Structure formats: C-alpha cells, structure tokens
Amino acid sequence: QIAAVSLISKALEPVLIPMDIKEQTLSLQGEDTVFFQGDLNWTAEALTNILKNCVEHTPQGGKISITFQENALFTEIIIVDNGRGIAKQDIPHIFKRFYKGKNSSEDSVGIGLNLAHSIITAQNGDVEVKSTEGAGTQFTIKFYKQII
C-alpha cells in the first residue's frame, strides 16, 4: 500500500518549477490516511503527465488543485485546473496515442495522456476528464480495490 500523499508529492516534483515560473497556485486536499494499491513510480509518472498538461494549459497566475480520498471501493484523486480547457470535440480522443487536440502545444507529441491512461488502467484504475473551454479541466482518477 502506498500513501496517496507520497504518490502526489512524487508526481509534483517535475512540475513545481514550471508552476513557479507561471506563478500558479497549488492546493492539496486529502488525509494522510488515504492509500492506494499500485506501483509508486509508474503511477507518479502517470500523474505527472496529467499535471504537465494542466500546467501547460493553465495561464500565468492560474490555479491547480488536487484532492484525494478513499472509500471502501476505490481511492480517488481529482486534479482540477482553471486553464483554457479542452475543446468538446477533442475530449473523446485525448487519451488516444499521438492524438493532439486543437489547444495542444507545438512540441506536444500526443503520448503523455495516452501513457497516463495506460498506466492507470493497467492497475485496475480508471481516468475520466471533464472540461469546459475557457473555464478549465478536471481529471478524475480512481484506483479500484481488489475484491477478495
């Protein structure tokens, strides 16, 4: 079992400097008692890819929040930004390999979110995205507990 707070701090490491440069605020909410079953390094990589996406598409001075909780069925991590959002027509495709939405950056190769999706689903997890153009994006990640 891995503490969600350890996973999130590991995932945040690569994006702290870019967030600082863009003067973005980070809010973290969750209990130290929240755990999940899975691989720390791979799952941190998946979350980092989602966070990089949020940082990239959130303006100077924007906000990113991460909340995590656990219940009898799953551990849930929700990442929300107040960035430019994802175009409605892009949402069904953002987890596809090499897919680049109309708002993606020049140097995007379209594999970050695909990799994140693969890592999460390979660990009995699920990731969903909700977005409103101009208002932000929410990624909801659930790691389901093994049924005994």
Side-chain angles (χ1 to χ4, degrees):
Q1 282 205 338
I2 294 159
V5 71
S6 306
L7 167 68
I8 290 163
S9 52
K10 186 171 177 65
L12 278 166
E13 279 171 25
V15 296
L16 290 175
I17 292 171
M19 284 182 77
D20 193 39
I21 291 168
K22 289 181 88 175
E23 297 173 347
Q24 294 169 340
T25 345
L26 173 68
S27 119
L28 268 178
Q29 232 179 337
E31 301 295 318
D32 289 346
T33 52
V34 176
F35 288 89
F36 91 105
Q37 302 283 138
D39 183 281
L40 175 64
N41 294 329
W42 277 111
T43 311
E45 180 72 23
L47 293 187
T48 297
N49 285 340
I50 291 171
L51 287 163
K52 280 179 179 167
N53 208 65
C54 294
V55 171
E56 185 181 313
H57 297 290
T58 299
Q60 186 85 9
K63 291 186 174 75
I64 294 171
S65 79
I66 304 171
T67 53
F68 51 98
Q69 61 196 17
E70 182 179 16
N71 62 33
L73 300 175
F74 54 81
T75 299
E76 180 179 63
I77 299 169
I78 299 173
I79 301 171
V80 180
D81 69 47
N82 66 346
R84 62 186 148 181
I86 301 166
K88 193 180 264 180
Q89 68 269 25
D90 288 333
I91 289 180
H93 310 288
I94 66 158
F95 295 118
K96 290 182 181 159
R97 192 169 177 159
F98 305 129
Y99 184 81
K100 290 166 61 168
K102 71 172 191 153
N103 291 338
S104 63
S105 71
E106 282 292 299
D107 54 0
S108 167
V109 278
I111 58 169
L113 292 177
N114 172 257
L115 182 64
H117 183 268
S118 300
I119 291 169
I120 292 165
T121 54
Q123 298 185 91
N124 201 23
D126 191 25
V127 56
E128 288 176 0
V129 65
K130 286 185 195 142
S131 189
T132 307
E133 272 194 281
T137 302
Q138 173 176 315
F139 288 91
T140 303
I141 302 147
K142 290 179 182 166
F143 291 101
Y144 293 93
K145 300 188 179 177
Q146 305 299 337
I147 311 296
I148 298 163

